[in-house]
Amino acid sequence: MSTDRTRPAGRRDQGGPRSVPPQRSRRQQPHRPPRPHQWFAERLLAVLSGQRPVHWMLGHTIGEAYDQLAELAPSTPLGSPRGSRPVLRHCRGAQPATGVVEAFASIAAGDRVRAMAFRLEQGPDQRWRCAAVELGGERLTAGAPGPR
C-alpha cells in the first residue's frame, strides 16, 4: 500500500498529474444560445413540414396563431414532395419595438426554396411567443390552404 494519499492505489509510476492546457482553435467561439427568432424558425419549420406535431407549439403561441397552425399543419405546407427534409437556410430578425421581433427565414427542401415570416411578442413573463406566420407572401389563415 502506498503512503502517498494523492496517488491512486495500485499506481506505481513516479509522475504526478500533469497539467495540460486545453487546446483551443483560433476560430472556436464560445457557445451562444440561439436567438428567439432562430429557435422559433426551427420549431415552425418542424411543425409546418410534418416533422413534429402541432401540439409541440402549445404555450409558444398567442392569439389565433396556434389555431392557424393546427389547421395548417396537416397539409404540411413546408414539406417536400420528393421526401427530402427541409432545412433552415437563413434566419434574420428585426426589433421594431420593445418586446417585438419580426423575423424572416428561407427554407430549402430539395430544389425548392420557400420564404417564411413570423412575428414574436414577449409577454410579461419575459417569454417569447409566436403571434403570426406567413409563407411565400400569403398570410396563413385558418381554412385557406397554403401555396404549393
Side-chain angles (χ1 to χ4, degrees):
M1 187 65 81
S2 172
T3 58
D4 185 0
R5 293 181 186 256
T6 61
R7 185 174 301 147
R11 187 171 171 178
R12 304 252 190 273
D13 66 335
Q14 296 301 314
R18 294 182 182 96
S19 63
V20 177
Q23 294 180 351
R24 292 188 73 176
S25 168
R26 280 187 277 160
R27 298 175 57 89
Q28 187 178 16
Q29 299 292 326
H31 177 70
R32 285 188 347 195
R35 292 184 175 152
H37 60 277
Q38 294 166 326
W39 187 83
F40 269 92
E42 291 285 353
R43 288 183 85 87
L44 289 169
L45 171 61
V47 169
L48 294 173
S49 65
Q51 298 172 35
R52 292 286 189 166
V54 72
H55 69 265
W56 199 46
M57 291 297 289
L58 271 173
H60 300 292
T61 56
I62 57 174
E64 295 180 16
Y66 181 80
D67 295 334
Q68 292 173 348
L69 287 173
E71 278 202 38
L72 291 167
S75 66
T76 61
L78 291 179
S80 175
R82 292 182 215 36
S84 60
R85 186 176 181 169
V87 294
L88 183 65
R89 290 179 59 191
H90 301 285
C91 184
R92 303 281 188 267
Q95 195 167 6
T98 303
V100 175
V101 172
E102 292 181 347
F104 62 93
S106 63
I107 313 295
D111 58 350
R112 287 178 42 188
V113 177
R114 300 284 306 271
M116 176 175 65
F118 54 97
R119 179 182 175 96
L120 302 177
E121 295 178 5
Q122 193 173 31
D125 60 357
Q126 301 302 306
R127 291 182 53 204
W128 291 96
R129 290 178 180 86
C130 184
V133 179
E134 293 183 20
L135 290 179
E138 295 182 25
R139 180 148 180 92
L140 296 179
T141 58
R148 284 269 167 187

